[in-house]
């Protein structure tokens, strides 16, 4: 019997993000997910090494990699629509849950629970907050990169996302990452060297 889960995951690269925005550089869900996983990994390490945490870094990194898994079935709904009102947000969460169930059904029974733990991180968990912060940081970085390229289309999104990232400063590791790494994304290659 064939299982389609990974064939669907491979299609993340086909789903374009920021579909309502004119972008200098297109971004797909696979690229975004990889960056979110890198940032979540860093945040978890920072928490453990600098703030006395005991987080499972590998589990958080893996969950971050799959945080947009449902979008291989739903597509990437633009933020202005997704958050337009509470009814739409709830309906979209319900659609995501159905998509996640469908994806999980595409795995062998022996693997399903392992992937469920990665795809369905409890929303009231520290891990979820950390991954959500990494997701917002990644989106903020995209705005910085677009603005650096002269694309003013991302100016309002940059201001909004900066506030959203700062709303996670109650997590010391998020503030630390922001204070020590964010400004480097606005530099040119020559400035980085």
């Amino acid at each position: 019997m064939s299982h389609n889960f990974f064939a669907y995951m491979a299609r993340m690269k086909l789903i374009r993000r920021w579909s309502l925005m004119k972008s200098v550089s297109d971004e797909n869900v696979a690229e975004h997910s990889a960056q979110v996983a890198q940032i979540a990994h860093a945040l978890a390490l920072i928490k453990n090494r600098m703030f006395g945490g005991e987080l499972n870094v590998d589990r958080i990194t893996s969950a971050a990699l799959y945080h947009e898994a449902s979008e291989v079935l739903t597509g990437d709904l633009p933020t202005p629509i997704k958050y337009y009102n509470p009814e739409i947000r709830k309906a979209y969460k319900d659609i995501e849950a159905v998509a996640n169930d469908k994806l999980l059904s595409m795995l062998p029974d022996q693997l399903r629970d392992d992937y469920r733990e990665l795809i369905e991180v409890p929303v009231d968990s520290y891990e979820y907050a950390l991954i959500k912060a990494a997701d917002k940081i990644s989106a903020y970085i995209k705005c910085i990169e677009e603005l650096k390229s002269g694309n003013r289309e991302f100016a309002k999104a940059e201001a909004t996302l900066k506030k959203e990232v700062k709303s996670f400063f109650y997590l010391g590791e998020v503030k630390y990452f922001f204070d020590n790494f964010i400004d480097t994304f606005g530099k040119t290659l020559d400035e980085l060297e």
Side-chain angles (χ1 to χ4, degrees):
M1 171 185 221
S2 294
H3 299 281
N4 298 335
F5 180 82
F6 292 105
Y8 270 98
M9 290 300 101
R11 298 179 79 73
M12 288 176 125
K13 65 183 169 280
L14 304 176
I15 301 167
R16 185 173 174 260
R17 289 177 46 83
W18 304 94
S19 61
L20 297 178
M21 309 280 276
K22 179 181 177 1
S23 297
V24 171
S25 175
D26 283 342
E27 180 182 57
N28 64 51
V29 173
E31 294 166 330
H32 168 70
S33 295
Q35 185 176 50
V36 171
Q38 291 171 356
I39 295 167
H41 180 265
L43 293 176
L45 279 177
I46 292 165
K47 173 68 174 178
N48 288 352
R49 301 289 185 261
M50 299 174 185
F51 294 96
E54 295 180 7
L55 299 175
N56 182 331
V57 176
D58 293 337
R59 179 176 153 30
I60 289 169
T61 304
S62 296
L65 191 59
Y66 288 99
H67 84 283
E68 302 281 26
S70 66
E71 290 189 4
V72 298
L73 297 174
T74 67
D76 181 39
L77 190 64
T79 297
I81 297 166
K82 190 186 298 186
Y83 297 104
Y84 182 73
N85 65 38
E87 293 84 23
I88 290 175
R89 183 68 187 135
K90 184 192 177 315
Y92 190 70
K93 281 288 186 196
D94 292 344
I95 291 167
E96 284 179 327
V98 170
N100 285 340
D101 285 343
K102 183 164 179 58
L103 284 170
L104 291 166
S105 75
M106 297 177 191
L107 287 162
D109 292 341
Q110 300 89 333
L111 300 178
R112 200 166 291 149
D113 288 340
D114 297 295
Y115 280 91
R116 184 178 309 280
E117 288 181 10
L118 299 177
I119 290 174
E120 297 178 354
V121 177
V123 296
D124 59 349
S125 68
Y126 196 93
E127 291 81 5
Y128 182 88
L130 205 68
I131 293 166
K132 193 69 170 170
D135 184 44
K136 296 297 182 184
I137 291 168
S138 175
Y140 180 63
I141 290 167
K142 169 66 173 167
C143 294
I144 292 169
E145 291 171 343
E146 288 289 330
L147 289 169
K148 179 176 75 173
S149 296
N151 184 1
R152 298 290 307 149
E153 182 85 8
F154 282 76
K156 184 176 179 187
E158 185 272 341
T160 300
L161 283 160
K162 186 174 189 178
K163 287 180 188 172
E164 289 182 23
V165 169
K166 287 185 172 189
S167 76
F168 285 95
F169 277 11
Y170 70 93
L171 303 172
E173 58 272 27
V174 174
K175 184 173 186 332
Y176 182 92
F177 187 94
F178 190 90
D179 291 346
N180 290 280
F181 297 106
I182 285 295
D183 68 329
T184 63
F185 290 93
K187 293 182 177 181
T188 66
L189 180 61
D190 289 335
E191 291 168 337
L192 289 172
E193 293 178 4

